[in-house]
Amino acid sequence: KAKGLLTADYAGTISIGGSTFTNNSGDLQLGGIEEGQLSTHLVKGESNQALPIATKTISELGPNDISTIVLIQDIEFADNELGSTFADASGPSTGFLEMLDCDGNELTLLTNGYADFADQTVPGGSGTVTAIYGVFNETMQLQIRNPNDLDFGSTRCDGTTTGNGDPGEIVLEENFEDGQTQYELLNLAGWTNAAEIGTDAEAWYSNNYQGDFYAEGTAYQSGDPENVFWLVTPTINLDKNIILEFISAQHHWAHDGLSIMIANDFTGDVTDASWENVTCSLPQESNAWYEKVSSGKITLRDYFPSGNVHVGFRYSGKVGSQETTYQLHAVTLTEE
């Protein structure tokens, strides 16, 4: 409800504010909508977040895109930003992070230190970002609403998945897309998708959101009283050093139900193998729903020095109205 508010050119972007003030240069400047004005001027809508109105590359962004939500394709964080957090939450202070595409076009991701994800590490890889586009004194800027606006499941411009070190040779890359049908059980060449407890009909299945395919596992509304099911990789030979990386997410958190296992004696029956737990980063209750969490680099020789191994993604849960659902994205095995 805009009556009583002000508009002004704020560093190159026409903006709405609630007051004016004199800045350090002695110029009159537009101020924000104060907390006491929020109930007067802002009306909350549905919980659904607005979708982007256009899909662009960095080079295609123009004046007509300012203050709109856009989906930017083929974008990644600059090498020097990898390992950084979105902002300094302890300050708190604003974060300015450089992003670019493979042609060298650049823009800045702007994040406030008060954001509840300010202390999270930015993802490696590359992909798309859904963001509000703006300009500040001719600097192109993006603002995301939460980390779910970043979909970075693809390899970077230098061929790596994280931007760190020699990319090596990719020996397996599974994006859960080819030949899969949404909501049907995954049927991947060389992989095993099977139940340990319950029926195979309740195992890992294919799903996608806006064309982003992934494996999904849940016991929600299962026909079985309990489910334990596995998605096991093809044979991995450790004659050379192999690095495993993957991305996972959770939604409707209710329990800790995902574990990553490795065995050197798997022959097709998950109950006959001697599985060991793999240490890696997995989504937790503290992560936002659908927030993508990078596993980090997992050196398989840390578990078995040689021979053939299999990695299993194991889900466990009981039927009920509240059961965590897990997603697997972009499983990659790289030879170093």
Side-chain angles (χ1 to χ4, degrees):
K1 296 185 287 186
K3 185 176 181 180
L5 297 178
L6 306 169
T7 61
D9 185 325
Y10 181 72
T13 297
I14 301 300
S15 306
I16 298 174
S19 62
T20 59
F21 66 96
T22 302
N23 62 26
N24 293 334
S25 300
D27 299 322
L28 193 65
Q29 185 171 317
L30 181 68
I33 300 174
E34 301 297 332
E35 184 175 0
Q37 299 174 288
L38 294 179
S39 60
T40 301
H41 296 291
L42 298 183
V43 180
K44 291 185 68 174
E46 299 296 328
S47 60
N48 300 24
Q49 290 191 332
L51 297 175
I53 65 171
T55 298
K56 304 267 185 171
T57 61
I58 294 178
S59 60
E60 291 172 339
L61 291 169
N64 291 337
D65 299 310
I66 292 175
S67 298
T68 67
I69 300 175
V70 293
L71 188 146
I72 312 282
Q73 295 180 312
D74 303 322
I75 192 170
E76 64 186 32
F77 286 99
D79 289 348
N80 61 293
E81 304 291 9
L82 297 176
S84 301
T85 58
F86 283 99
D88 181 3
S90 62
S93 61
T94 301
F96 298 93
L97 299 170
E98 180 187 354
M99 304 188 77
L100 69 165
D101 61 20
C102 293
D103 294 325
N105 299 304
E106 300 179 7
L107 46 63
T108 299
L109 181 72
L110 174 67
T111 306
N112 193 290
Y114 288 103
D116 58 9
F117 58 90
D119 59 356
Q120 294 184 25
T121 303
V122 302
S126 70
T128 64
V129 56
T130 300
I132 303 165
Y133 173 62
V135 173
F136 185 85
N137 290 334
E138 299 184 357
T139 298
M140 301 166 65
Q141 293 186 338
L142 299 177
Q143 293 187 59
I144 60 174
R145 298 160 295 182
N146 59 64
N148 295 332
D149 282 335
L150 294 163
D151 185 1
F152 276 26
S154 302
T155 54
R156 292 173 60 80
C157 297
D158 63 4
T160 68
T161 55
T162 63
N164 299 318
D166 186 349
E169 179 184 351
I170 295 177
V171 296
L172 184 148
E173 188 172 30
E174 182 56 66
N175 294 317
F176 306 105
E177 180 175 359
D178 291 343
Q180 305 307 306
T181 302
Q182 189 174 26
Y183 305 132
E184 292 190 2
L185 288 177
L186 283 169
N187 183 16
L188 304 168
W191 291 68
T192 300
N193 184 19
E196 176 183 349
I197 300 175
T199 61
D200 287 346
E202 302 290 350
W204 291 93
Y205 63 93
S206 174
N207 206 348
N208 79 84
Y209 177 70
Q210 294 184 342
D212 175 24
F213 281 79
Y214 47 85
E216 189 155 87
T218 186
Y220 174 65
Q221 293 186 336
S222 169
D224 302 319
E226 183 179 1
N227 290 107
V228 177
F229 48 77
W230 296 70
L231 187 63
V232 183
T233 66
T235 301
I236 304 166
N237 185 278
L238 296 185
D239 287 350
K240 295 185 178 180
N241 198 32
I242 301 296
I243 304 298
L244 167 67
E245 296 176 88
F246 63 91
I247 295 170
S248 57
Q250 63 85 12
H251 61 90
H252 295 83
W253 177 277
H255 76 296
D256 187 358
L258 178 64
S259 53
I260 314 304
M261 315 292 285
I262 188 170
N264 67 350
D265 60 352
F266 173 74
T267 58
D269 186 341
V270 294
T271 63
D272 285 343
S274 302
W275 297 98
E276 296 184 16
N277 276 294
V278 171
T279 301
C280 60
S281 296
L282 295 173
Q284 305 297 318
E285 185 176 11
S286 58
N287 294 107
W289 289 4
Y290 310 104
E291 176 187 340
K292 292 184 176 180
V293 176
S294 174
S295 64
K297 288 192 172 186
I298 303 164
T299 302
L300 299 187
R301 278 183 172 175
D302 288 347
Y303 300 91
F304 295 99
S306 61
N308 294 327
V309 298
H310 293 80
V311 173
F313 298 87
R314 181 181 185 269
Y315 176 90
S316 63
K318 296 183 178 180
V319 65
S321 59
Q322 294 183 338
E323 285 295 284
T324 309
T325 297
Y326 286 94
Q327 299 172 343
L328 293 176
H329 303 252
V331 177
T332 305
L333 291 167
T334 306
E335 176 187 301
E336 283 197 336

